[in-house]
């Protein structure tokens, strides 16, 4: 079945329903609201200035403000800190240094073989990156706090920095930490890699380089901390996006048990993109400052601070090899990669390396895979999760290699992909590394995109000799709802102290005494539309109106129910979040039907909750409001074995989230969506400017709950990857000083450069989730990077220019063309 859906640009997109024959747990059919493009409930509040963000909060009296003094050097010993002049200023209450913080908190743990020197949220005796916190000023307002920074005198002994991850592994490189710059090293093999390469007709090799990126959200970090020494409790407010396993990391280093620490996340956030997962060191820092000074403190990060020292995505150098036969069969791949995690490898790193392990082979059915993985420390800002988390780096290289393999055997790149795709009847499919791909129709999705872009009719002919035309494509498997155990692969089995697994989520659905419906979620969205999709699911399950469902987001760990993996990250809401909501609503529906049947005096098997009432087969009915009133106001009329409630707190997980095996296999995600992207570009070789002439996306994210929100997530994710392909990168000079610490220098596309795209959808429901739905927030980011870079490379090959490094900025294109022309002369 094909339904035409409106696109924001006035066109339409085909939403196609795929078969559910691949799984045994077939989802219930779509109801009145699931599958409809309901307008977002959140938007009226957010677009009229009535959102409540972290900087809007002043939750306690006598709130003081802090400003952070940061290191101007990338690598230096701290010899002395003199804060006397700052302390003499009016309105300044304290200056807190690393030595004081280290007396209060423990260092953060590290999931690597060679842990760094103790990592605190502030430098203690040595700075290891430009921007590392050195001292904190506490003052009556943020302006006094900021002014006082100039009056703190720090004496440094400067040291040589190391910035290149390949150079950092050399024995004579400057040491970021005693003990070496390689924090972790693993060699992994799945299948007989050497045999497959020995038997292959061709071995194709390439070196790829992916830069550091920032993905800055509109709203920067914000934290408020209030230590109450009378009750020995700590209240924290922060725009933290999870995972709440990192909340456990934070509480583990503070000198209070977790049940005395309450983290409150506001219901509104101005974007996250994974960056706000790395907020937790500042949560600990402000907590320590409040405990040290005895006053509540607040900090709102500046834009410059955010670009300089919040969190970046790790940069990577990857050497990738593919074994392919003349007939187009891809036998195996292997790669050696150097991931640069900056001055400290902090949790959840080295996740950027291991997060995609379950889908390392992408959508291709091959025989073997090998990986040699370096986790490297350099004198740069520490890293953390970002949208796509490691996958877009991997697919930039993998899909680039697929194009090169096609060229080597003189086969069309689309044909090579189609030939090697995992077939529809193979699902659920176990990848070489242990990933359990739940469902998919890869060939169908690919063909839809080829037709939409008019691949067969494409021509590189151009009327302008300075303009080259190219076409590129990509096919990616998008992992969602990460299994918390995947990071154990970073350690050999003898170093794993205990097993970790799971990806659970919780949701609460309540019918109140007046019959109204409330939903409580255990996370705080950053723009994904949770209030809307949760309302759609619950409205269908309880057969009530969409507008009558109230959804509460945000979390208070001191009051609310939450789970260790709660949070808005890893595209998990569409996978495990939807399942938790649906299960909770179904339990409440069963409660209402049970009580309603009893009050009607009929068997529960003969009634159904619909249209705001429980209705029997004979037509007798009792309103949901009456059922609720009886439940709460007159429980004596209830059956003896029924509790007086219409509520369910449901915590649900997925059986597929198992621990890492002894042979280093793990199903690193709970579901795996699919994306295929196609780009047509024009490249002006005189200016280096890349212009995108056509762009098509095809996505299969299982059952689509809200096509408008899905489209928004695809467009937003694609825009992110587009930005890092053609615009964004962080640059350090040879001293380790960041050169891109403002939006004047860190290039980002604006709405004027918006990538216009056309969308196609397939719905192949997941057999593992309650609604058959999957996540969709990151596939666009992962697919656009290789599609665009392959398209630009396809164009520039006409003048013998290759593309293996990002971003593809005009100056870099121009320089590459000039180098080739110089060689020709």
């Amino acid at each position: 079945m094909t339904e035409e859906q409106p696109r924001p640009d006035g066109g339409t997109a085909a939403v196609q329903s795929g078969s559910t024959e691949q799984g045994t747990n077939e989802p219930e059919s779509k109801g009145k609201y699931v599958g409809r493009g309901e307008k977002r409930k959140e938007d009226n509040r957010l677009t009229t200035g009535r959102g409540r963000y972290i900087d809007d909060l002043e939750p306690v009296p006598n709130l003081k403000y802090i400003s952070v003094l940061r290191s101007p050097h990338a690598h230096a010993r701290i010899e002395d800190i003199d804060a006397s002049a700052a302390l003499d200023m009016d309105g300044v209450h304290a200056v807190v240094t690393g030595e004081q913080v280290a007396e209060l908190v423990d260092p953060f743990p590290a999931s690597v073989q060679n842990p760094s020197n103790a990592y605190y949220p502030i430098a203690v005796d040595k700075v290891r990156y430009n921007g590392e916190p050195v001292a904190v000023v506490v003052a009556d307002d943020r302006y006094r706090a900021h002014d006082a920074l100039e009056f703190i005198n720090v004496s440094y002994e400067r040291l040589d920095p190391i910035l290149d991850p390949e150079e950092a592994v050399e024995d004579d490189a400057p040491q970021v930490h005693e003990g070496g710059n390689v924090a972790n090293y693993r060699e992994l093999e799945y299948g007989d890699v050497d045999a497959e390469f020995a038997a292959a007709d061709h071995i194709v090799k390439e070196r790829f380089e992916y830069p550091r990126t920032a993905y800055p959200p509109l709203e920067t970090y914000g934290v408020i901390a209030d230590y109450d020494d009378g009750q020995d409790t700590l209240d924290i407010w922060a725009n933290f996006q999870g995972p709440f396993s990192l909340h456990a990391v934070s509480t583990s280093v503070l000198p209070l048990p977790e049940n005395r620490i309450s983290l409150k996340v506001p219901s509104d956030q101005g974007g996250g993109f994974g960056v706000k997962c790395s907020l937790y060191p500042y949560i600990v820092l402000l907590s320590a400052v409040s405990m040290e000074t005895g006053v509540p403190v607040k900090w709102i990060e500046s834009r410059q601070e955010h670009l300089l020292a919040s969190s970046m995505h790790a940069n990577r150098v990857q050497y990738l090899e593919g074994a392919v036969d003349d007939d187009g069969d891809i036998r195996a791949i292997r790669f050696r990669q150097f991931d640069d995690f900056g001055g400290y490898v902090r949790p959840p790193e080295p996740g950027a390396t291991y997060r995609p392990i379950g889908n390392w082979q992408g959508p291709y059915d091959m025989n073997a895979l090998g990986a040699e993985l370096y986790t490297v420390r350099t004198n740069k800002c520490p890293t953390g999760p970002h949208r796509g988390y490691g996958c877009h780096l991997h697919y930039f290289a993998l899909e680039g290699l697929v194009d090169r393999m096609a060229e080597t055997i003189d086969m069309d790149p689309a044909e090579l992909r189609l030939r090697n795709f995992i077939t529809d009847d193979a699902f659920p499919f176990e990848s070489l590394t242990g990933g359990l791909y739940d469902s998919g129709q890869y060939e169908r999705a690919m063909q839809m995109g080829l037709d939409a872009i008019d691949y067969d009719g494409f021509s590189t002919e151009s009327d302008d000799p300075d303009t080259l035309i190219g076409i590129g494509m990509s096919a990616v498997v998008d992992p969602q709802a990460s299994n918390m155990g995947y990071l154990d692969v970073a350690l050999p089995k003898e170093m794993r102290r205990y097993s970790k697994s799971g990806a659970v989520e919780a949701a609460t659905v309540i019918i109140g005494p007046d019959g109204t419906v409330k939903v409580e979620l255990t996370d705080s969205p950053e723009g994904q539309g949770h209030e809307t999709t949760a309302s759609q699911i619950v409205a269908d399950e309880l057969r009530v109106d969409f507008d009558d469902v109230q959804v509460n987001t945000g979390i208070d760990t001191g009051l609310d129910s939450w789970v260790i993996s709660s949070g808005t990250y890893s595209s998990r809401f569409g996978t495990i979040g939807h399942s938790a909501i649906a299960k909770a609503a179904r339990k409440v529906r069963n409660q209402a039907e049970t009580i309603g049947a009893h009050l009607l005096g009929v068997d529960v098997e003969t009634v159904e909750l619909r249209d705001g009432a429980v209705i029997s087969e004979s037509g007798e009915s009792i309103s949901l409001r009456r059922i609720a009133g009886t439940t709460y106001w007159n429980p004596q009329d209830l059956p003896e074995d029924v509790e007086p409630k219409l509520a369910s707190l449901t915590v649900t997980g997925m059986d597929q989230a198992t621990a890492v095996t002894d042979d280093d296999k793990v199903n690193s995600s709970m579901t795996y969506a699919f994306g295929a992207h196609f780009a047509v570009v024009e490249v002006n070789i005189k200016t280096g400017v890349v212009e995108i002439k056509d762009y098509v996306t095809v996505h299969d994210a299982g059952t689509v709950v809200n096509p408008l929100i899905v489209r928004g997530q695809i467009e937003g994710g694609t825009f992110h990857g587009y930005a890092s392909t053609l615009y964004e990168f962080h640059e350090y000079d040879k001293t380790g000083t960041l050169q891109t610490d403002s939006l004047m220098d860190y290039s980002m596309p604006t709405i004027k450069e918006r990538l216009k795209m056309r969308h196609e959808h397939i719905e192949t429901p997941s057999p593992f989730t309650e609604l058959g739905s999957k996540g969709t927030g990151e596939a666009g980011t992962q697919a656009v990077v290789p599609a665009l870079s392959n398209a630009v490379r396809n164009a520039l090959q006409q003048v013998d220019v290759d593309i293996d490094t990002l971003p593809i900025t005009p100056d870099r294109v121009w320089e590459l063309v000039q180098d080739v022309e110089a060689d020709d002369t």
Side-chain angles (χ1 to χ4, degrees), residues 568-589:
T568 304
Y569 65 99
S570 188
S571 297
R572 69 194 314 271
F573 187 70
T575 296
I576 193 69
H578 286 180
S579 292
I581 294 165
K583 282 186 174 182
R586 289 170 189 171
K587 291 178 181 179
V588 173
R589 184 178 72 202

Side-chain angles (χ1 to χ4, degrees), residues 21 46 111 168 262 311 330 350 421 620 626 657 711 737 760 765 771 798:
E21 294 176 357
L46 299 177
S111 299
S262 176
S311 176
I330 299 175
F421 277 162
E620 295 177 282
R626 175 71 181 277
R711 185 175 302 119
T737 303
E760 301 282 355
L771 301 177
Q798 299 170 50

Side-chain angles (χ1 to χ4, degrees), residues 80-413:
D80 182 63
I81 300 176
D82 182 1
S84 56
L87 290 168
D88 288 340
M89 297 176 65
D90 290 341
V92 173
H93 295 270
V95 175
V96 179
T97 65
E99 289 185 355
Q100 294 167 278
V101 172
E103 290 292 323
L104 287 169
V105 306
D106 293 327
F108 291 108
S111 299
V112 292
Q113 299 161 341
N114 177 22
S116 65
N117 288 25
Y119 170 45
Y120 293 94
I122 184 172
V124 177
D125 55 2
K126 185 180 180 183
V127 294
R128 293 178 171 87
Y129 64 95
N130 175 214
E132 184 169 7
V134 173
V136 175
V137 175
V138 181
D140 286 336
D141 58 59
R142 64 186 67 184
Y143 306 104
R144 284 186 171 91
H146 182 75
D147 290 345
L149 297 180
E150 296 184 20
F151 293 87
I152 301 174
N153 183 34
V154 183
S155 298
Y156 295 97
E157 177 194 352
R158 297 185 64 172
L159 304 170
D160 291 334
I162 182 68
L163 304 171
D164 184 282
E166 290 187 278
E167 294 176 1
V169 305
E170 300 297 332
D171 292 339
D172 59 350
Q175 299 295 291
V176 181
H177 298 269
E178 289 75 11
N181 295 329
V182 179
N184 211 76
Y185 173 80
R186 291 231 62 194
E187 285 189 68
L188 303 172
E189 183 169 334
Y190 306 92
D192 194 338
V193 177
D194 289 341
E196 293 297 334
F197 271 81
D201 293 327
H202 302 276
I203 297 175
V204 182
K205 303 179 180 182
E206 187 58 85
R207 178 187 186 275
F208 297 91
E209 189 167 352
Y210 203 104
R212 287 195 156 220
T213 51
Y215 290 0
L218 283 173
E219 179 195 37
T220 59
Y221 287 177
V223 182
I224 301 168
D226 179 23
Y227 173 66
D228 185 333
D229 60 352
Q231 300 189 65
D232 196 27
T233 57
L234 181 62
D235 288 316
I236 306 162
W237 293 260
N239 53 2
F240 175 63
Q241 73 176 93
F244 272 74
S245 56
L246 295 177
H247 173 59
V249 169
S250 299
T251 58
S252 71
V253 305
L254 288 165
L256 295 175
E258 188 173 303
N259 62 359
R260 291 184 176 272
I261 301 171
S262 176
L263 174 60
K264 311 168 201 297
V265 180
S267 58
D268 295 326
Q269 292 193 41
F273 312 128
V275 181
K276 287 178 180 169
C277 296
S278 301
L279 176 59
Y280 70 92
Y282 290 99
I283 290 175
V284 172
L285 178 58
L286 266 79
S287 298
V289 170
S290 181
M291 298 178 76
E292 175 72 12
T293 61
V295 297
V297 292
K298 179 177 182 177
W299 170 68
I300 301 297
E301 183 185 48
S302 71
R303 178 61 63 192
Q304 186 177 38
E305 285 181 296
H306 187 82
L307 289 168
L308 177 67
S310 59
S311 176
M312 302 175 186
H313 196 291
N315 52 295
R316 172 177 297 174
V317 176
Q318 186 175 43
Y319 295 85
L320 186 57
E321 300 181 13
V324 63
D325 286 339
D326 286 327
D327 63 2
D329 282 349
I330 299 175
R331 287 178 166 270
I333 60 169
R334 62 187 175 197
F335 51 91
R336 177 166 52 100
Q337 70 188 39
F338 301 83
D339 283 346
D340 178 357
F341 292 99
Y344 303 91
V345 183
R346 60 188 185 187
E349 300 290 22
T353 301
Y354 297 95
R355 172 71 184 91
I357 183 172
N359 53 287
W360 267 343
Q361 69 190 74
Y364 307 111
D365 192 355
M366 59 183 69
N367 301 328
L369 183 149
E372 183 181 4
L373 309 167
Y374 290 83
T375 298
V376 185
R377 291 184 287 248
T378 65
N379 292 114
K380 298 177 187 173
C381 174
T383 63
H386 283 56
R387 195 176 202 167
Y389 202 22
C391 294
H392 48 314
L393 284 70
H394 183 67
Y395 286 132
F396 167 59
L398 177 60
E399 288 297 287
L401 186 74
V402 171
D403 268 18
R404 288 163 172 82
M405 286 193 287
E407 293 160 13
T408 300
I409 62 173
D410 195 24
M411 180 178 287
D412 183 271

Side-chain angles (χ1 to χ4, degrees), residues 9 114 123 169 205 227 244 266 321 323 348 472 495 521 618 647 671 806 813:
D9 61 5
N114 177 22
V169 305
K205 303 179 180 182
Y227 173 66
F244 272 74
E321 300 181 13
M495 292 186 67
L521 305 179
S618 63
T671 59
L806 297 183
V813 171

